[in-house]
Amino acid sequence: MAKLDQRRIAAFLAQPGACRVVLLHGDDAGLIRERAEALQQSVIGGDDPFRLADLPREAAAKPGALAGEMAALAMTGGRRLVRVRDAADGLTPAVKEALAGPGEALLVLEAGELPARAKLRTLLEPAPDAAVIACYRERGAELAGSIARMLQAEGVAAAPAALEWLAARLGEDRMLLRREVEKLALYAGAGGRLSEEDVMACTGDGSALDLDEALVAATAGDVSTADRALDAAFAEGASPIMVLRAALRHVQRLHLASLGVAAGQSASGALEALRPPVFFRLKPGFEQALRLWNPELLAAAGAALLEAEKQGKSGSANRPIPDTVVARAAVLQLARQAIALRRRSAA
C-alpha cells in the first residue's frame, strides 16, 4: 500500500480495509489530527474504551507494548484501534515488532514532519500492510476545494469567488480553518449558499484580519499599527511561518496591482481589479501602499521575504519553522522601507 496518492486518501480514511499501520506525517498538525479521528470513526465509530487504546509515546516505545495492544481482542467484539500521538523514529523497533506479530487492530501513528530517510518511513513505506499519508498545508485551488467539501458536508454551498476569498484569507492551519467553516455553516444554515459578501462579513475578525492589518500597515509605513496588529495576530495563534507566507502573498498582490498602475490604471482601479477583493477596512492602507511602491521594489521585497523564511528554517534541525523574531523583523523591515519611500517622495 505504501504512500497514498492524495486522490485515494478520502476513500481510504472511510474504509482502511486490512491495513494494520497508518503513519500520518507532515507540517499540518490539524490535518493529521483530523485524519486520525476520521480513521477512529471508521474503525470503532467513536470513543469505545474497549476498542480504543490511546498510548503516550513513551509507553508505546516499551518492548512488547504495541505488539500486545495490536494482538488484544475487544471485550465487546469488533476491530480495535491503537493511537499513538507525537510519534517519532524512536518508536521504530516497537512498530516493527507489532507488524511482525498477530492481531487485527489498526495502529495509527501521528508524527510531525519526517524526512524521506526517517526510520519510520523507511520501515512502513515498503510494507504491504501499512499506509503512509503526507499531511501538508494546502494552498490556493487545493485549499479552496477542501473548504468547499467541508461546507458541503455541512449542507452549505459557496460561490466560487467566496471560496477563492476564503482560501486566500483563512490561512493553512486545518483546525482554525475547520472552526471558521463551522461558523460559516451556522451563518448560512442548512441548504444555504454563501456569497462573497457573506464570507467577507462573517470572517471579519480574528487573527487573519489582525495579520492583514499588520501587513497593510507595514507596506503603508505605519510601524506602530503594524507592530500592534502583529502582536494581536501572534496572540490569536498566527504562526511565524503563516506570517511570512501571508506577507509574501500580500507583497505579491501589491506587485500585481502595481503592474496595473504602471500600465496606466489608477491606484483605486488597480486595487478593485484584485481577486479575491481587498477587505473594505484595509482599502485605504492598501491604496496608500500602492502609491509608494513600484514593481521593482515589490519584487525585491518578495525575494527578501523568501530569504527570511529560509533563514528561519536553517536555524537547526529541531526548529523547522521560522521563529517570531525573524517573522517580526521581516514585516517591520517592510514598514521601514515604506517610511523611506514616503520621505523620498516628499523631498
Side-chain angles (χ1 to χ4, degrees):
M1 192 171 294
K3 294 188 288 186
L4 280 187
D5 182 273
Q6 291 294 319
R7 293 169 294 183
R8 298 173 54 202
I9 290 175
F12 174 81
L13 296 176
Q15 179 49 264
C19 180
R20 299 185 67 214
V21 181
V22 179
L23 172 63
L24 303 167
H25 72 95
D27 65 357
D28 192 336
L31 182 56
I32 289 171
R33 180 178 176 182
E34 180 178 300
R35 286 174 171 171
E37 291 178 350
L39 285 166
Q40 180 174 320
Q41 185 67 30
S42 298
V43 173
I44 67 174
D47 296 318
D48 185 340
F50 296 107
R51 298 173 61 191
L52 174 65
D54 201 334
L55 300 181
R57 182 175 63 188
E58 295 75 14
K62 293 179 180 178
L66 275 185
E69 290 289 354
M70 293 280 283
L73 299 176
M75 291 179 60
T76 54
R79 192 180 189 189
R80 298 179 70 251
L81 184 134
V82 183
R83 190 167 170 179
V84 182
R85 306 168 202 259
D86 300 318
D89 275 351
L91 284 176
T92 306
V95 174
K96 185 176 182 179
E97 180 186 21
L99 268 177
E104 297 181 354
L106 177 63
L107 172 61
V108 178
L109 303 170
E110 301 171 53
E113 290 190 79
L114 295 176
R117 294 183 180 180
K119 293 179 181 178
L120 277 176
R121 289 184 60 179
T122 302
L123 170 68
L124 296 175
E125 285 177 359
D129 50 357
V132 177
I133 302 177
C135 302
Y136 294 110
R137 298 179 190 273
E138 297 173 323
R139 302 179 184 90
E142 187 180 22
L143 181 57
S146 289
I147 295 171
R149 287 189 292 274
M150 289 181 191
L151 287 170
Q152 186 178 22
E154 300 284 345
V156 174
L163 293 172
E164 184 181 359
W165 193 89
L166 287 169
R169 179 165 184 79
L170 288 186
E172 302 154 6
D173 185 287
R174 193 71 168 204
M175 295 175 71
L176 294 175
L177 176 63
R178 186 162 287 281
R179 285 202 292 271
E180 288 295 330
V181 166
E182 289 170 354
K183 183 172 73 174
L184 286 165
L186 287 172
Y187 177 88
R193 180 177 174 84
L194 294 162
S195 67
E196 190 173 27
E197 292 74 19
D198 290 332
V199 299
M200 290 174 70
C202 195
T203 59
D205 298 310
S207 63
L209 183 57
D210 294 326
L211 185 50
D212 283 349
E213 287 176 334
L215 297 172
V216 170
T219 49
D222 186 347
V223 176
S224 60
T225 298
D227 201 33
R228 288 197 306 273
L230 202 54
D231 281 339
F234 282 132
E236 288 287 332
S239 67
I241 193 68
M242 181 190 299
V243 170
L244 286 173
R245 289 177 179 170
L248 182 58
R249 286 194 297 269
H250 173 64
V251 167
Q252 288 170 337
R253 278 161 62 78
L254 264 178
H255 184 259
L256 183 61
S258 72
L259 290 174
V261 171
Q265 281 185 296
S266 65
S268 59
L271 184 152
E272 292 297 332
L274 288 176
R275 290 294 179 271
V278 178
F279 192 58
F280 72 93
R281 276 174 49 187
L282 304 177
K283 285 184 178 180
F286 199 107
E287 187 169 340
Q288 185 178 353
L290 194 53
R291 296 181 189 281
L292 292 175
W293 297 78
N294 63 39
E296 292 76 19
L297 289 172
L298 289 166
L305 287 167
L306 286 172
E307 183 59 32
E309 182 175 342
K310 181 180 176 181
Q311 176 188 348
K313 288 181 177 180
S314 64
S316 72
N318 295 322
R319 194 189 66 178
I321 299 177
D323 58 27
T324 55
V325 174
V326 174
R328 185 185 296 275
V331 172
L332 295 184
Q333 176 58 32
L334 291 174
R336 287 190 286 270
Q337 190 170 355
I339 290 172
L341 291 172
R342 186 190 298 161
R343 289 172 177 166
R344 190 182 306 166
S345 64

